[in-house]
Amino acid sequence: MCAVVHNCPTEPYQSDNQELVKGWVRTHQNVLDAAIEKFGTVLPLGFDTIIQGEDNTDPKQQVKDFIKDDFENLKEKMEKVRGKQEFGVQISYDNKAMTDIVARESEEVGKLKEEMASQKPGMAYMYKQKIEKAVKGELEKSAEGYFKDFYGGIKNHVDDIKVEKAKSERDKTMLMNLSCLVLKERVEDLGNELERIDYMNGFSVRFTGPWPPYSFV
Amino acid sequence: MGMQPTAATECGVTDLLEHILDKGLVINADLIISVSGVPLVGVNLRAAIAGMETMLKYGVLTDWDKQTRDWERKEREQKRGAREPLAEGEQVLLKMFGSHWFSKGIYRSWRPGHLYVTDRRVFLWRNSPGEMLMDIPYEMIKGLAMERKTNVAKKETDYLYLLLKDGEVAQLHPTEASVVKEAIEGRMKELGLELEEKPTIPSLDEYAAKFLTPGEGVTNSCKMWYLMTLPSPGGTTSDQWKSGYLYLTNKRLLWYYDFDGKVVWETPRDNLIHATTQLRDLGGMLKEKQVLNVLYKTESGNKVACFSGTEDEMKDWQDALTDVIRQRSEPLPEDWETCPQCGAKAPREKLLKEGCSVCGWISPRLRRNI
């Protein structure tokens, strides 16, 4: 077992210069890519992880000690990720398309719309509110269904899954944000599964990687 | 051929940051540099990244979608969301954003929340911090009236008044007053409760309606004695205590003499210099009464106006006026802001969390949270 290190001052990297920061993180990623190419299985560390030499000890010695002391644990982790790669899977739906589908298909919403037609204008406001609420409820229900469906499908092709925070945009809602640990020979299966979802009306899939196994160490 | 992944090197910097800053192998915190006990990883680059993120199409880190991340949490949130205190079996017929005019002592303000019309009552509830701002059962309602008024922000909107059997009037400012009115009327009819046909809108503040100028709004008011200077026989003058109403608006301080039906004394807010209270004998039986002395600038030098009311009111007035003077003479404290709608000044936190008490403005964020 070995470590890829570089010598730097024991000061955190700090800058308000975006270009500089971007450069740093890209370099970090490039080093990892190179290490993976050369050594195969790598346990990635976060950017800005700086080992300091305690009481005048040599930082290099600290790293060596760390590997020695933690050897069993590190080895276990390496076994877990050996021959596997990390992929990011983000599935979103278009709010408008999804709302339309739900509004069209829901019986409850249809009934409310019928009732609304025969109401006085003032009461129509209340019906509009009711319909909006019903659509929202239906949307949540079907989102839950889709989540379980997709999650179940993806699970079959991967070794491990982490559910990350979903980030939504103005007109798109992220249904799920997953980090998946995948055996190299299963990546294609996962791609097929995701293609099925990507073709579904209103849904879009983002599939990124391979990443170093950041989420599984 | 299934879907092909986008290579890490071709992904945006956001994806990269997400992996590189928050993840990776965690090593013994004793070994690595940390900032105030927090392992360094990712912490100190936040500033630069925050700027980047907003530039990137791919959303902002803090804008998490709560629905899908964690189903259990969603359940919890649904439970928490239904906090309005509904009675067992009570049905909500209408829910709408609205404000209620709160008036107590010399203080007045619009308080925003959600207006609920249920099958048994009308109430206004604020979610955070949870508080019932108004709660009226249908049995209390005598009549409904609507009025189109120009608010402090110079915008014409409909106000809804619930005239109550005890003579009080609840003033509401819902998003759509006519809809609320119709819902209440409909429900009361169902319940067999009578409403006055065409109730006269009680003059909530008929005096203020007479003297307010466009864009002017009352922030404080109450009944108040004023030491009036009256001409006496022989070309001299004499001072006499008269009963009327003292008003502080966003423009001036004034005293309205209802007997004569006019404003007898006024000064612009900017001319106020000092306000103190003292104990004085007002003549006759009125011994040792609290008097509010207001020192103000005029073209012919500084003058003093004297007012008297109850002890509590005097203290409140002194505080309110002292605030006015302090805000004017000192630069605004750093954490104060002006209301974007009417220009009234208030602590930023208060403005953001409770809205503007003068014109009822509330921030979009508060509107979402209420």
Side-chain angles (χ1 to χ4, degrees):
Chain A
M1 198 178 295
C2 62
V4 180
V5 296
H6 101 109
N7 202 356
C8 70
T10 50
E11 298 257 315
Y13 280 75
Q14 228 160 351
S15 172
D16 290 334
N17 182 335
Q18 295 185 3
E19 286 311 310
L20 189 62
V21 174
K22 280 188 210 172
W24 288 341
V25 292
R26 288 224 170 87
T27 306
H28 187 90
Q29 174 68 18
N30 291 342
V31 170
L32 274 161
D33 287 343
I36 287 169
E37 203 176 319
K38 194 161 169 57
F39 303 106
T41 307
V42 166
L43 300 180
L45 278 100
F47 179 78
D48 227 1
T49 310
I50 302 168
I51 308 258
Q52 56 186 341
E54 243 173 44
D55 311 323
N56 297 330
T57 40
D58 178 14
K60 274 187 196 148
Q61 192 54 46
Q62 290 266 26
V63 175
K64 283 180 192 158
D65 291 348
F66 161 67
I67 293 175
K68 210 190 287 167
D69 295 347
D70 257 16
F71 185 77
E72 284 308 315
N73 173 25
L74 294 172
K75 203 173 140 207
E76 200 179 298
K77 283 187 167 140
M78 287 183 114
E79 286 315 314
K80 180 175 163 58
V81 300
R82 187 179 300 283
K84 294 163 200 158
Q85 295 169 316
E86 179 173 334
F87 288 89
V89 173
Q90 297 165 328
I91 304 178
S92 305
Y93 59 80
D94 182 89
N95 292 344
K96 183 154 185 321
M98 207 56 180
T99 309
D100 288 351
I101 293 171
V102 164
R104 208 168 43 231
E105 289 176 358
S106 158
E107 270 179 40
E108 195 195 344
V109 173
K111 219 175 91 196
L112 285 171
K113 276 187 175 162
E114 247 171 58
E115 284 174 31
M116 182 168 129
S118 58
Q119 293 293 331
K120 280 185 288 174
M123 294 300 268
Y125 180 93
M126 289 164 62
Y127 268 88
K128 220 175 90 200
Q129 280 194 324
K130 275 191 192 166
I131 290 171
E132 275 169 19
K133 211 173 141 193
V135 169
K136 212 179 145 211
E138 290 285 317
L139 194 64
E140 274 173 24
K141 238 192 284 168
S142 61
E144 196 170 330
Y146 282 121
F147 183 94
K148 286 181 181 151
D149 177 26
F150 297 162
Y151 188 89
I154 291 167
K155 204 177 63 186
N156 294 331
H157 308 289
V158 305
D159 191 68
D160 199 359
I161 295 189
K162 285 248 153 61
V163 181
E164 313 282 356
K165 289 170 181 172
K167 303 157 294 170
S168 292
E169 292 171 61
R170 184 179 290 277
D171 45 8
K172 270 166 91 183
T173 302
M174 196 184 282
L175 182 66
M176 57 202 328
N177 183 9
L178 307 175
S179 296
C180 303
L181 190 64
V182 191
L183 271 167
K184 280 178 188 151
E185 53 271 27
R186 298 297 302 276
V187 175
E188 202 180 321
D189 296 344
L190 178 62
N192 288 332
E193 180 73 32
L194 296 177
E195 193 178 46
R196 177 182 77 85
I197 298 168
D198 200 33
Y199 275 140
M200 287 174 70
N201 202 0
F203 285 99
S204 57
V205 177
R206 239 178 130 250
F207 184 28
T208 64
W211 296 95
Y214 276 113
S215 312
F216 301 94
V217 293
Chain B
M1 261 313 263
M3 196 172 185
Q4 294 299 310
T6 311
T9 44
E10 282 157 37
C11 287
V13 71
T14 312
D15 288 290
L16 201 55
L17 290 171
E18 248 167 61
H19 284 95
I20 289 180
L21 292 188
D22 294 332
K23 295 174 174 178
L25 184 66
V26 179
I27 55 176
N28 190 347
D30 295 342
L31 290 177
I32 55 172
I33 316 182
S34 59
V35 173
S36 28
V38 181
L40 221 238
V41 187
V43 178
N44 64 322
L45 291 172
R46 288 273 175 247
I49 288 144
M52 254 184 247
E53 297 243 333
T54 50
M55 285 166 28
L56 293 160
K57 183 179 161 285
Y58 221 82
V60 184
L61 269 174
T62 51
D63 191 19
W64 307 122
D65 179 3
K66 295 185 190 81
Q67 285 176 22
T68 52
R69 166 144 164 80
D70 181 340
W71 299 103
E72 193 195 315
R73 193 208 297 169
K74 186 182 133 196
E75 290 280 293
R76 253 185 285 134
E77 285 195 351
Q78 277 180 345
K79 273 181 207 144
R80 221 188 311 144
R83 274 184 314 184
E84 72 271 1
L86 288 172
E88 180 99 26
E90 184 171 14
Q91 272 195 323
V92 176
L93 305 176
L94 178 69
K95 180 184 170 187
M96 191 188 282
F97 178 80
S99 306
H100 171 243
W101 182 245
F102 169 81
S103 154
K104 192 176 179 192
I106 74 163
Y107 293 107
R108 318 156 137 232
S109 78
W110 284 102
R111 299 201 296 179
H114 270 119
L115 184 66
Y116 288 80
V117 177
T118 79
D119 55 352
R120 51 193 86 165
R121 60 185 169 146
V122 184
F123 68 85
L124 195 87
W125 169 256
R126 183 185 59 198
N127 257 348
S128 67
E131 190 183 346
M132 188 61 96
L133 303 177
M134 182 199 89
D135 192 358
I136 296 169
Y138 287 124
E139 290 72 21
M140 279 286 292
I141 300 174
K142 189 173 70 178
L144 301 172
M146 244 171 60
E147 192 182 16
R148 179 152 278 254
K149 280 205 298 199
T150 309
N151 65 10
V152 179
K154 298 181 190 168
K155 226 169 68 187
E156 278 213 339
T157 51
D158 287 325
Y159 291 79
L160 179 67
Y161 305 130
L162 311 185
L163 318 182
L164 309 182
K165 291 188 175 149
D166 62 5
E168 294 285 312
V169 179
Q171 297 184 63
L172 295 169
H173 188 203
T175 316
E176 297 202 34
S178 62
V179 175
V180 177
K181 182 163 175 274
E182 198 169 323
I184 297 175
E185 280 168 351
R187 182 57 191 161
M188 287 185 70
K189 206 170 155 194
E190 280 172 21
L191 292 171
L193 293 166
E194 298 237 335
L195 278 169
E196 273 180 31
E197 271 298 318
K198 280 215 161 102
T200 41
I201 300 174
S203 43
L204 299 157
D205 201 330
E206 55 186 314
Y207 304 147
K210 283 181 192 160
F211 62 73
L212 286 179
T213 56
E216 186 171 22
V218 176
T219 54
N220 310 83
S221 79
C222 79
K223 203 167 163 57
M224 187 71 93
W225 295 81
Y226 168 60
L227 189 59
M228 205 193 286
T229 304
L230 295 166
S232 281
T236 58
T237 59
S238 70
D239 292 340
Q240 279 179 35
W241 287 97
K242 297 283 183 190
S243 166
Y245 295 84
L246 186 64
Y247 286 90
L248 178 66
T249 77
N250 54 342
K251 294 186 172 169
R252 52 193 166 141
L253 180 69
L254 62 88
W255 186 77
Y256 184 88
Y257 189 31
D258 49 328
F259 183 78
D260 275 358
K262 63 180 184 195
V263 174
V264 167
W265 174 89
E266 69 175 298
T267 181
R269 283 170 80 118
D270 286 349
N271 286 3
L272 292 168
I273 298 170
H274 198 50
T276 53
T277 51
Q278 63 169 152
L279 284 175
R280 243 165 86 173
D281 293 341
L282 304 188
M285 302 290 287
L286 302 170
K287 296 210 186 308
E288 293 238 322
K289 285 282 172 192
Q290 283 280 353
V291 171
L292 175 75
N293 297 316
V294 178
L295 183 66
Y296 63 105
K297 261 190 306 222
T298 71
E299 280 170 8
S300 50
N302 295 346
K303 288 187 175 166
V304 177
C306 303
F307 302 94
S308 186
T310 69
E311 209 160 300
D312 289 346
E313 283 167 353
M314 292 295 93
K315 177 81 181 64
D316 288 345
W317 275 104
Q318 188 188 343
D319 292 348
L321 294 178
T322 306
D323 268 355
V324 170
I325 294 158
R326 194 186 313 130
Q327 281 172 40
R328 204 191 53 236
S329 56
E330 291 168 15
L332 276 188
E334 243 176 55
D335 53 346
W336 282 51
E337 284 285 355
T338 53
C339 163
Q341 188 165 278
C342 71
K345 297 170 176 65
R348 187 189 296 125
E349 279 292 289
K350 187 172 181 293
L351 210 51
L352 290 177
K353 287 200 177 132
E354 293 166 33
C356 173
S357 60
V358 177
C359 71
W361 173 88
I362 60 162
S363 68
R365 182 182 297 176
L366 179 64
R367 188 176 275 247
R368 282 201 302 275
N369 293 342
I370 263 168

